[in-house]
Amino acid sequence: MQLMPVDPYPVSRRWRLTGWLLAAIWLVFLNVALSRALAQEELWRRVLGVGSLVAFGLAYIFAFEWGRLMRRAGRPIPRRRAWTILGALVALGLVGIPATGGEWMSTLVFVCAAAIFLLPLRPALVVVALAVVVPLVLGRLVPGWGSENGIVFAVLLASLAMFGVSRLAQRNAELQAAQQEIHRLAVAEERARTARDLHDILGHSLTVVAVKAELAGRLLELDPARAAIEIADVERLARQALADVRGTVGAYRGVSLGTELAGARTALAAAGIAAALPDAVPELPTERDELFGWTVREGVTNVVRHSGARRCEIRVGSDHVEVCDDGRGPAGEPGGDGHGLVGLRERARRLDATVSVGRRPDGRGFLLRVAVPAAGR
């Protein structure tokens, strides 16, 4: 069974040693009890007193370090094990009574500090209350132990200080857990973005490559010169797709409406689909230009791959872009969203734009429309 949990946020060896020293330095307040033990004339009393105090100090440091690692790991401190540790501390303090006399009660200060650090607030307050009562009662009942008002004050002060330390440790653990969650979500978002971009890029490029390769195969015997031209285009498109993938991985690739319109003209021509494209496009903000470019790319990819259309028209305005055809729509399912349309909706959401997918109002084809609200102009 593993006694000490693994530190989920490991630090340098020097800072780890510093943490141990911060826990151990407070043990200097056991000096009076230690001096009392060393002053004993009988050897067995000296050995018992010094041994019990050393064991007490090591147990306290262990308790502090164990509780700290549990908090940093974001794991609840097992109640039974915490009570066992506190019981061991009390027992070690009591064992030293033959050598330390009434000074053993100085160990109650550390018992209370450990209780505050390891237990929930209410049980910890019960321990503190008992530690306050014990010195007052025993100081009057046991001859020679005298008044222990100083111990009572030390117990209350140590408990208050450890309450602040424990709350600080808890907040730090929560902050570290939040940072880890933010990092995890950022990584997940970046992976989703990369996957979406790769799908959009390769889906479009490979669709055109497949269409041109099929055309070249048909022309190989009928028109070898034209087939060679189509094969050269396949090679060029493959190299461009590879460059786009590298650009996406390096986060340097950009999409523009003008570039995508030019690519759409080539893709539609290769597929034998009549194209009606605008000769000029309005000046658009960078983000809107990129969104409209992605819309053209996704729309044309679906037209070429799924629609069975004979004609495709692209219309561009300052606040909208439309890709319409006279075919049946993606996979024969109007309104069906593939990965590309899901990615397009995610991009549109960033600009509060709306994505409309479905049959044309006249029922004679399929329409993809992305519109930016008037407030975004």
Side-chain angles (χ1 to χ4, degrees):
M1 181 176 63
Q2 186 179 3
L3 294 179
M4 298 292 284
V6 177
D7 193 341
Y9 312 106
V11 295
S12 68
R13 187 173 182 180
R14 184 182 70 177
W15 285 110
R16 189 176 181 92
L17 179 61
T18 301
W20 282 77
L21 290 176
L22 287 174
I25 194 172
W26 298 104
L27 295 174
V28 69
F29 291 106
L30 294 176
N31 66 320
V32 176
L34 182 62
S35 299
R36 181 83 174 265
L38 291 173
Q40 296 294 327
E41 295 182 357
E42 298 177 74
L43 178 61
W44 72 270
R45 292 182 184 273
R46 290 201 301 270
V47 172
L48 179 63
V50 173
S52 63
L53 289 174
V54 170
F56 180 90
L58 293 176
Y60 173 75
I61 294 174
F62 169 84
F64 182 84
E65 181 66 8
W66 174 70
R68 184 183 69 86
L69 290 180
M70 292 294 288
R71 289 179 182 274
R72 283 171 63 84
R75 295 159 56 184
I77 295 177
R79 188 79 62 87
R80 182 176 299 178
R81 188 173 297 181
W83 281 112
T84 300
I85 291 173
L86 293 176
L89 290 175
V90 173
L92 289 171
L94 292 173
V95 166
I97 288 180
T100 59
E103 302 301 336
W104 79 273
M105 286 185 286
S106 60
T107 61
L108 294 177
V109 176
F110 300 94
V111 172
C112 290
I116 291 291
F117 196 68
L118 300 179
L119 295 176
L121 184 57
R122 288 185 179 180
L125 290 178
V126 172
V127 174
V128 172
L130 291 174
V132 168
V133 171
V134 166
L136 296 176
V137 173
L138 294 182
R140 295 186 177 184
L141 296 181
V142 181
W145 283 13
S147 175
E148 297 295 343
N149 292 331
I151 294 297
V152 173
F153 177 76
V155 164
L156 295 176
L157 184 62
S159 300
L160 182 61
M162 186 54 71
F163 177 78
V165 171
S166 63
R167 288 301 175 267
L168 179 61
Q170 181 179 349
R171 295 297 180 266
N172 285 340
E174 292 172 353
L175 177 61
Q176 289 167 339
Q179 290 173 338
Q180 288 291 103
E181 180 65 12
I182 290 172
H183 175 71
R184 186 189 68 79
L185 293 176
V187 171
E189 173 64 21
E190 183 61 21
R191 287 176 178 172
R193 184 192 67 82
T194 301
R196 183 180 63 228
D197 288 355
L198 287 176
H199 168 271
D200 292 346
I201 290 170
L202 293 181
H204 176 79
S205 300
L206 295 181
T207 296
V208 179
V209 166
V211 169
K212 282 186 169 290
E214 182 182 357
L215 177 61
R218 293 200 302 265
L219 294 174
L220 191 58
E221 295 182 359
L222 300 176
D223 191 347
R226 174 72 185 282
I229 294 174
E230 296 298 334
I231 291 298
D233 277 347
V234 168
E235 180 182 1
R236 178 184 60 80
L237 288 169
R239 293 182 183 277
Q240 181 62 43
L242 179 60
D244 285 344
V245 170
R246 288 172 176 169
T248 299
V249 173
Y252 297 124
R253 180 195 47 79
V255 171
S256 67
L257 178 59
T259 301
E260 295 306 320
L261 285 173
R265 191 182 301 276
T266 300
L268 292 170
I273 300 174
L277 277 62
D279 296 325
V281 296
E283 290 291 332
L284 299 172
T286 302
E287 291 184 344
R288 192 181 306 177
D289 184 83
E290 182 177 351
L291 174 61
F292 286 3
W294 282 115
T295 304
V296 170
R297 171 174 290 216
E298 176 61 22
V300 171
T301 298
N302 285 335
V303 170
V304 172
R305 182 184 296 174
H306 303 301
S307 70
R310 296 186 300 273
R311 185 176 187 277
C312 175
E313 181 179 1
I314 299 176
R315 296 189 287 264
V316 179
S318 61
D319 60 354
H320 72 279
V321 60
E322 295 179 349
V323 179
C324 56
D325 60 64
D326 57 359
R328 60 180 178 271
E333 297 179 4
D337 281 10
H339 293 293
L341 289 176
V342 171
L344 183 61
R345 292 185 190 279
E346 291 177 359
R347 291 187 175 92
R349 196 176 299 120
R350 297 174 185 172
L351 299 182
D352 294 328
T354 57
V355 178
S356 303
V357 184
R359 304 298 299 179
R360 292 169 56 176
D362 57 12
R364 291 182 296 180
F366 199 78
L367 172 67
L368 168 63
R369 173 185 171 89
V370 173
V372 178
R377 296 183 182 180

